[in-house]
Amino acid sequence: MTTFLQLIVVGISTGSVFGIVGVALVLVYRTTGIVNFAQGVFAVLGGMFTFELRPHMPLLAAIVLAVLLAAVLGTLAALVAVGFRGRTTHLASLVITVGIALLAEAILLATVGEVPRSYAGVWRHAWDVGGVLIQPQYVLIAGVALAATILLTLFLRGTVVGQALIASADSARAAELVGLNVRAVAVIAFAVAGGLCALGGALLAPTVPVVYNADLALTINGFAAAVFGGLTSIRLALLGGYALGIVEQLVVGYIDPQYNLTIALVVMLVLIGWRSRRELVA
Amino acid sequence: MRLTLIAGAAVFACWLPFQLSQGQLGLYDRMGLYTLVAIGLTLLMGFAGQVSLGQGAFFLIGAYTSALLTVGLDPDDRLLDPDAGIDPVLAVVVAPVVTAAIAAVIGVPLLRLRGHYLAFATLAFHLIMSSLLFAQDRFTGGQYGVTVTKPLEVGGRTINGATHAAVAWALVAVALVLSANLVRSRAGRALQTIAVSELAAAGTGIPVATFKLRLFVFAAALAGLAGGLFTFYTQFVGPEDFGIVLSLQFVLMVAVGGLGNVYGAVVGTVAILYLEHEVRELGTRESLLGWDLPAQAPSVLSLGIFGLILIAVMLFFPRGLLPAVVDGARAARRRAPWTK
Amino acid sequence: MSALFEIERLVVRYGEAVAVDGISLRVDHGERVALIGPNGAGKTSLLNAGCGVIRPASGRVRVDGDDVTGATPAVLVRRGVTQVPEGRHVFASLPVEANLQVGAYGRFFSLNVISSTLRYVRRRADVRDRLDRVYTLLPKLHELRERPAGRTSGGEQQMVAIGRALMAEPRLLAVDELSLGLAPLVVDQLAEFLVRLNEEEDVAILLVDQNAVLALALCERAYVVETGRVAVEGPSSELRERAELRGAYLGGGP
């Protein structure tokens, strides 16, 4: 029983990051129509930047700076991915983000190398709750994921900029007609999404070290979570992330660790099939 | 006229391997095999209009099918009986058949998916296939791969080295002729209608789903054949040659050559593989432009260049680099799934 | 004095197909002009090219004599030309009031997010005033202000779309297919409103509509567009009498 609970606890924390990546994917997709294949890269960057900055400043400052840096890189990615008005389609943008992910991996490999990076979290000891070891970091990640998602939803509904993003999501056509700059919307969406993922990655790194090519697994898991939300619901994407994280840990714990990406892929395929069933039954 | 050109080029392509050094042969051979895959993929993406991020999976399936059939399906027999397994030639022939069968089954649901869903689904297919075949397992050899001792022999003559490359390019020539005929046939015209508008095609009574599936299976078979033959170049199959980057490379080769353009597929594959080769060579040097190069430099440089070219082609040459360069090519009018 | 809005020998192509084949038209300050013609004649393409949604192959678009050919819709909005698109396209998940607000600050929203947000914040009082003005013009919108725009009726959505376009203080309102999918009673009310708007607020109207009777009743001048070209143009009173048009567009009858 304790193993079971233990796995659930770990699952919720890794699932939080999947959920965050999923929320980011939904945000970008809804506002720009682009699926950002490089979304996982920002989570990795969050961990990497924090690692590099940590020796020079307190942990919180390092994380904040890492998130800001990731947001800036997000704006660059947006400008490249959006491409040229009228010439670059959404599918082309997807392929561009594949290129961005590869380029990012190359740069990380060149600068940081293959060694996984980690750093000490806030707490030193795990809490023992009835035989189940809970790293406080797990609770932190889960809480931050939830809080960040709520804040994002408030931002979207309550601020002028947020409403512009929702307007773009509802009707790109009409948004353009009222003068909304498509590139500006993309830049904001990518920046917020990138910063959010970086936060998740920075919080996860103490328990799961980040490595240069971890982005693919994160993007896949995040996409699965996003598909759970139909690529449109932020709340469901977060929920899907938690669920996926738990399912994965259970498989890893009870069956075999080498299948953890496979299970994500299978779940993703099942969810894609479910969400597309209207089209599949042609 | 075109047939003569292809014939002439084919003869040259098959003669060339015998003039190359050992080091160059490996590259040339891979160019031929990968071109087979690219030809199938460019037709699929150009006419069925979808992005497949998992074509490497069929290459992988073909390779492992021919390898496992050749060494014998029972892991125990392999150690005891040197004659276990079937004749390599038969194995190479069966490889595309098995690959096509798998494609026929998964193609039905797969081809109904929309753009980004299809992209992720094909990616998932490749990764799942990889994890199944590279899992620790005596049957598939897991991370250690499978060594094939039996050489590929036809009529007493061993097919390896230069002969292997020649066979690969001969197959490319055959594939080009088949594809050119396909495009010109009634089926080809139907496919062109589908490429312009699936709705319009369906309206004129063309069974769109069936045609797309057939293209998918054809492309898979080509990749399976290439994979099946690949086993016998190094007499070994193992995880290193079939990573996910392989599938992405095929997309790049096809993008560079122009979707739907089979001759472009040849040029794209050769160009990209050559570039990758040169870049990796560059990476093995001690230092470059004053910077000391670390051990991972070859991978870094090739991944980085690869990513940059993919971005550049998608941004500036969405219809393909080759069509943009070769003015007025028929290929320029072929619609790529990602252009308006 | 130059026209408020002028299109000169515009050509719009989609690949090989020519949608607009050298059309010229003008709208003067405070005018009401109609674009009528059969489906697929190129009217919407013409409007879209005029409003910056698509780039014409050749020809010129001018506002107040200044060349704005190929500029984005944002530029045109800032110049006082806004479009009410075919099919309304309201921002469904936002409440009606938010729809209107986005209509106001869309033009402040540029790549330089900080400066554009600052500009919006400084002009907030103006935007509030404008909102009140639009509510006065369209009281129904005030009633519906909290309702998600997606949950309003077709006619109400058309009102939202018009109100949204008005928030940018346009001098020319381009309306694409006012009557599509709406009940005749609703269409009449909207048409009356547009005439009042034109007369009281001096907003010029460019109306594209398949319903020629409506368009000619509403507007003083009209262009008849067929297969990408202007077939006929002139005052509505004249066009109404033209026998050949009667049969084709005005319901026939001697």
Side-chain angles (χ1 to χ4, degrees):
Chain A
M1 187 55 178
T2 44
T3 322
F4 182 72
L5 288 175
Q6 187 76 57
L7 291 171
I8 301 252
V9 165
V10 176
I12 290 181
S13 85
T14 54
S16 303
V17 182
F18 299 158
I20 287 177
V21 177
V23 165
L25 280 168
V26 168
L27 175 64
V28 169
Y29 177 72
R30 277 198 64 197
T31 54
T32 65
I34 299 174
V35 173
N36 184 4
F37 194 85
Q39 199 64 65
V41 170
F42 292 95
V44 172
L45 286 178
M48 291 293 183
F49 284 151
T50 310
F51 174 82
E52 295 294 323
L53 294 167
R54 184 74 182 89
H56 310 288
M57 57 186 75
L59 184 61
L60 186 61
I63 293 181
V64 168
L65 201 51
V67 167
L68 288 174
L69 279 172
V72 169
L73 286 178
T75 64
L76 280 177
L79 291 171
V80 173
V82 165
F84 301 114
R85 185 170 171 248
R87 251 177 76 180
T88 309
T89 61
H90 293 326
L91 216 47
S93 295
L94 171 64
V95 180
I96 291 175
T97 57
V98 172
I100 294 176
L102 290 168
L103 188 58
E105 278 195 17
I107 295 175
L108 279 173
L109 184 56
T111 51
V112 176
E114 301 171 302
V115 181
R117 302 295 193 191
S118 183
Y119 39 86
V122 181
W123 296 273
R124 295 216 176 274
H125 305 288
W127 302 329
D128 191 320
V129 178
V132 180
L133 274 175
I134 302 184
Q135 296 270 9
Q137 198 78 14
Y138 296 158
V139 179
L140 182 65
I141 301 175
V144 168
L146 191 58
T149 305
I150 293 176
L151 279 174
L152 180 66
T153 316
L154 287 175
F155 163 73
L156 287 175
R157 293 223 197 105
T159 66
V160 155
V161 176
Q163 287 182 334
L165 289 181
I166 296 189
S168 257
D170 281 343
S171 171
R173 174 88 198 271
E176 205 193 1
L177 283 174
V178 299
L180 277 177
N181 184 322
V182 167
R183 281 227 175 83
V185 167
V187 161
I188 295 175
F190 270 78
V192 171
L196 199 59
C197 287
L199 181 61
L203 290 175
L204 187 65
T207 50
V208 179
V210 285
V211 70
Y212 81 100
N213 59 3
D215 63 291
L216 184 61
L218 284 168
T219 301
I220 287 175
N221 278 290
F223 188 71
V227 174
F228 183 76
L231 287 181
T232 48
S233 165
I234 284 180
R235 260 170 289 160
L236 285 180
L238 185 65
L239 193 62
Y242 286 135
L244 185 59
I246 293 174
V247 167
E248 251 180 58
Q249 284 305 310
L250 290 176
V251 167
V252 164
Y254 287 122
I255 303 177
D256 198 323
Q258 70 177 325
Y259 290 127
N260 82 355
L261 186 61
T262 315
I263 193 72
L265 292 164
V266 171
V267 169
M268 184 186 80
L269 284 177
V270 169
L271 288 173
I272 288 177
W274 171 55
R275 281 293 180 186
S276 304
R277 66 192 179 289
R278 251 174 288 125
E279 286 125 67
L280 289 182
V281 186
Chain B
M1 176 58 199
R2 171 145 310 154
L3 211 56
T4 341
L5 258 171
I6 298 182
V11 168
F12 173 73
C14 296
W15 164 84
L16 188 59
F18 300 96
Q19 315 306 316
L20 295 174
S21 69
Q22 190 60 29
Q24 295 167 318
L25 252 186
L27 179 63
Y28 190 66
D29 191 274
R30 268 200 317 142
M31 281 179 179
L33 293 177
Y34 283 17
T35 303
L36 269 181
V37 182
I39 290 174
L41 185 61
T42 197
L43 287 174
L44 177 69
M45 285 172 51
F47 293 105
Q50 297 285 12
V51 179
S52 168
L53 296 181
Q55 203 65 6
F58 294 122
F59 186 71
L60 165 64
I61 293 172
Y64 265 75
T65 305
S66 75
L68 293 175
L69 282 176
T70 307
V71 298
L73 295 176
D74 187 336
D76 294 317
D77 278 349
R78 293 178 202 164
L79 297 171
L80 303 169
D81 183 3
D83 282 325
I86 63 178
D87 181 14
V89 176
L90 194 55
V92 171
V93 167
V94 170
V97 174
V98 168
T99 315
I102 295 178
V105 169
I106 67 164
V108 175
L110 211 63
L111 291 170
R112 295 212 185 111
L113 294 175
R114 249 185 309 151
H116 41 263
Y117 282 149
L118 180 65
F120 274 88
T122 47
L123 181 80
F125 177 57
H126 183 145
L127 289 171
I128 291 176
M129 273 295 137
S130 303
S131 82
L132 285 179
L133 288 172
F134 305 150
Q136 277 312 106
D137 189 57
R138 293 178 59 226
F139 176 58
T140 63
Q143 291 296 312
Y144 304 112
V146 177
T147 310
V148 179
T149 45
K150 279 192 246 176
L152 185 61
E153 274 180 22
V154 173
R157 189 183 174 138
T158 310
I159 301 189
N160 62 3
T163 335
H164 191 271
V167 168
W169 279 97
L171 287 172
V172 168
V174 171
L176 284 178
V177 170
L178 279 178
S179 307
N181 278 341
L182 171 70
V183 169
R184 236 170 299 160
S185 72
R186 229 177 48 185
R189 269 174 278 136
L191 285 169
Q192 296 208 23
T193 319
I194 294 177
V196 170
S197 163
E198 278 191 31
L199 223 58
T204 58
I206 296 176
V208 175
T210 318
F211 272 110
K212 278 168 51 166
L213 185 63
R214 285 199 199 149
L215 250 190
F216 187 69
V217 169
F218 179 61
L222 279 177
L225 178 61
L229 200 53
F230 179 75
T231 309
F232 292 97
Y233 186 70
T234 54
Q235 306 281 145
F236 172 78
V237 288
E240 311 87 59
D241 295 304
F242 305 104
I244 189 63
V245 179
L246 182 64
S247 280
L248 303 180
Q249 264 185 318
F250 288 135
V251 171
L252 177 61
M253 292 165 185
V254 161
V256 165
L259 272 80
N261 183 346
V262 291
Y263 304 110
V266 178
V267 174
T269 309
V270 169
I272 294 295
L273 278 179
Y274 182 70
L275 185 64
E276 188 199 26
H277 175 80
E278 289 299 299
V279 166
R280 279 183 173 269
E281 290 276 290
L282 216 63
T284 55
R285 286 208 230 146
E286 285 286 319
S287 73
L288 180 67
L289 301 175
W291 283 318
D292 291 324
L293 290 182
Q296 313 109 341
S299 312
V300 169
L301 285 176
S302 75
L303 255 187
I305 297 273
F306 182 19
L308 278 173
I309 298 182
L310 194 56
I311 294 173
V313 170
M314 282 294 105
L315 277 179
F316 303 109
F317 307 103
R319 285 210 174 84
L321 192 56
L322 181 66
V325 166
V326 177
D327 193 45
R330 216 182 301 147
R333 275 194 238 131
R334 285 224 214 298
R335 189 204 71 161
W338 46 54
T339 58
K340 286 200 171 130
Chain C
M1 190 169 112
S2 47
L4 170 61
F5 183 73
E6 196 175 354
I7 289 179
E8 212 179 292
R9 284 195 296 269
L10 207 75
V11 174
V12 177
R13 286 206 202 105
Y14 295 114
E16 302 284 314
V18 179
V20 177
D21 197 3
I23 290 187
S24 300
L25 65 82
R26 60 183 282 152
V27 180
D28 284 309
H29 297 266
E31 264 202 300
R32 297 196 299 275
V33 176
L35 269 183
I36 58 179
N39 214 353
K43 310 190 297 295
T44 298
S45 303
L46 182 65
L47 202 65
N48 281 337
C51 293
V53 177
I54 53 185
R55 190 180 272 256
S58 70
R60 296 258 156 266
V61 179
R62 288 185 224 277
V63 175
D64 286 332
D66 296 328
D67 194 334
V68 292
T69 318
T72 59
V75 172
L76 278 137
V77 169
R78 271 179 236 140
R79 291 293 197 126
V81 176
T82 51
Q83 186 190 135
V84 180
E86 178 183 345
R88 271 107 34 205
H89 290 285
V90 294
F91 302 130
S93 27
L94 290 175
V96 167
E97 178 148 311
N99 268 260
L100 299 178
Q101 285 168 324
V102 173
Y105 64 72
R107 64 210 151 118
F108 296 135
F109 204 85
S110 71
L111 206 52
N112 189 339
V113 182
I114 300 167
S115 88
S116 48
T117 314
L118 284 174
R119 250 182 290 151
Y120 169 73
V121 167
R122 257 185 285 131
R123 300 275 298 270
R124 263 174 78 172
D126 294 338
V127 173
R128 184 72 231 174
D129 287 341
R130 187 68 190 164
L131 190 62
D132 290 335
R133 182 78 196 126
V134 171
Y135 280 148
T136 314
L137 288 168
L138 292 158
K140 193 84 184 19
L141 291 184
H142 183 81
E143 247 183 74
L144 295 167
R145 70 187 184 284
E146 306 269 314
R147 175 114 46 108
R151 298 228 202 100
T152 57
S153 73
E156 289 163 349
Q157 285 189 10
Q158 189 67 292
M159 243 187 278
V160 172
I162 292 175
R164 178 181 66 192
L166 288 176
M167 288 297 292
E169 298 179 63
R171 292 176 298 144
L172 168 65
L173 193 67
V175 184
D176 197 352
E177 298 295 344
L178 176 72
S179 59
L180 207 60
L182 298 180
L185 191 61
V186 175
V187 175
D188 283 341
Q189 287 173 342
L190 289 169
E192 260 179 52
F193 168 75
L194 285 178
V195 173
R196 258 190 16 234
L197 180 72
N198 168 253
E199 289 173 351
E200 289 173 21
E201 306 280 315
D202 206 28
V203 175
I205 310 261
L206 178 59
L207 174 66
V208 171
D209 211 301
Q210 274 184 59
N211 184 342
V213 177
L214 169 77
L216 289 178
L218 210 149
C219 303
E220 308 145 336
R221 209 162 44 87
Y223 296 84
V224 179
V225 176
E226 282 174 3
T227 54
R229 299 218 181 99
V230 173
V232 191
E233 67 174 276
S236 307
S237 48
E238 260 181 47
L239 293 178
R240 252 176 296 213
E241 301 304 312
R242 298 276 282 257
E244 63 265 40
L245 293 181
R246 275 236 189 103
Y249 308 120
L250 302 178

